[in-house]
Amino acid sequence: MTRVPVAICAADPILESGVSHQLRPRPEVEVLRPSEEDRAEVALVVVDRLDEESEQLLRRLQRTSTVRTGLIIGEFGQDALQTSIECGVAAVLRRRDADADRLVGLVTALIRGEGVLPGDMLGRLLDHVGRLQRGVPSASGATLSTLSAREGEVLRLISDGFDTREIATKMSYSERTVKNILQEVTTRLQLRNRAHAVGFAMRQGLI
């Protein structure tokens, strides 16, 4: 049997140690040291929740490697699924379910090119796809898929009266990141300012 080389990426060494401990005895996988990660065929990103730091890690993996990425996560928020997909994640497993057999099954599925989602997340994804398919193009060509999950969440919070600092706190982002998200939306959709962006999103049914 050829062992699958796996890189485990986690900001918290305790999270990394827990997954490594589950996988090291298994003959199906080879847990790589940090100096060996260029040999990885699968990367497992282990996080408590999807915040700015973990999203940056996922996007870096997406840009700089050809590995198949799985996400082992503790708390999976409402918008985390779309963000994960946008970041190239092919499989998701909740940390509470991450025993050795499920971890090996996740790695095996990834190496076969398969996607893995818990049942409730799969239902959420299918519901999201259905909403996208029902989107009606606007005069500017925008549809329900125009906004990413985090862009939509930022605009929803603005429409509820939160300022940049409060939004950054709620979403576990820096204020700079929130400002960059707003800049990206207004530039891409050719809008004048954040009020125009919120009004546009509400008229189009995006938030």
Side-chain angles (χ1 to χ4, degrees):
M1 177 186 298
T2 301
R3 303 178 76 192
V4 179
V6 176
I8 299 174
C9 308
D12 185 335
I14 295 177
L15 297 180
E16 180 177 353
S17 176
V19 174
S20 297
H21 178 74
Q22 297 268 32
L23 287 178
R24 285 192 188 282
R26 298 296 296 250
E28 302 95 334
V29 301
E30 176 190 3
V31 178
L32 301 174
R33 295 188 294 270
S35 60
E36 302 174 311
E37 288 180 356
D38 58 338
R39 294 200 294 111
E41 295 179 22
V42 167
L44 297 181
V45 176
V46 191
V47 296
D48 283 320
R49 57 194 173 91
L50 201 58
D51 55 15
E52 182 178 7
E53 182 180 2
S54 54
E55 183 179 339
Q56 288 175 348
L57 171 58
L58 291 170
R59 292 192 186 280
R60 179 177 62 78
L61 288 170
Q62 186 181 32
R63 289 193 311 268
T64 63
S65 72
T66 58
V67 298
R68 298 274 294 172
T69 301
L71 181 64
I72 316 300
I73 190 167
E75 177 187 341
F76 205 76
Q78 181 176 355
D79 294 323
L81 180 58
Q82 183 173 337
T83 301
S84 300
I85 293 170
E86 291 169 356
C87 291
V89 171
V92 177
L93 181 65
R94 287 192 173 91
R95 276 213 340 259
R96 67 171 181 263
D97 300 325
D99 59 22
D101 288 337
R102 287 191 175 94
L103 286 167
V104 169
L106 187 94
V107 170
T108 302
L110 284 168
I111 209 67
R112 290 198 301 254
E114 300 172 359
V116 178
L117 284 176
D120 63 312
M121 293 186 198
L122 180 59
R124 198 184 308 171
L125 175 61
L126 292 174
D127 180 63
H128 175 70
V129 170
R131 289 199 306 272
L132 294 185
Q133 290 176 338
R134 292 192 297 271
V136 179
S138 70
S140 63
T143 69
L144 285 177
S145 59
T146 297
L147 299 178
S148 70
R150 68 176 188 171
E151 289 170 346
E153 181 63 17
V154 166
L155 292 180
R156 277 191 292 271
L157 290 171
I158 290 173
S159 70
D160 288 337
F162 293 100
D163 62 23
T164 301
R165 179 181 56 80
E166 292 169 327
I167 293 170
T169 300
K170 283 183 170 292
M171 297 185 69
S172 299
Y173 287 165
S174 67
E175 290 185 45
R176 178 181 294 274
T177 296
V178 174
K179 291 176 182 176
N180 288 342
I181 291 169
L182 284 168
Q183 178 66 33
E184 167 64 24
V185 171
T186 55
T187 300
R188 190 176 70 245
L189 300 181
Q190 300 180 347
L191 304 169
R192 292 188 299 276
N193 50 43
R194 64 172 60 193
H196 190 193
V198 170
F200 169 84
M202 295 180 72
R203 285 194 301 273
Q204 300 301 321
L206 299 172
I207 61 173

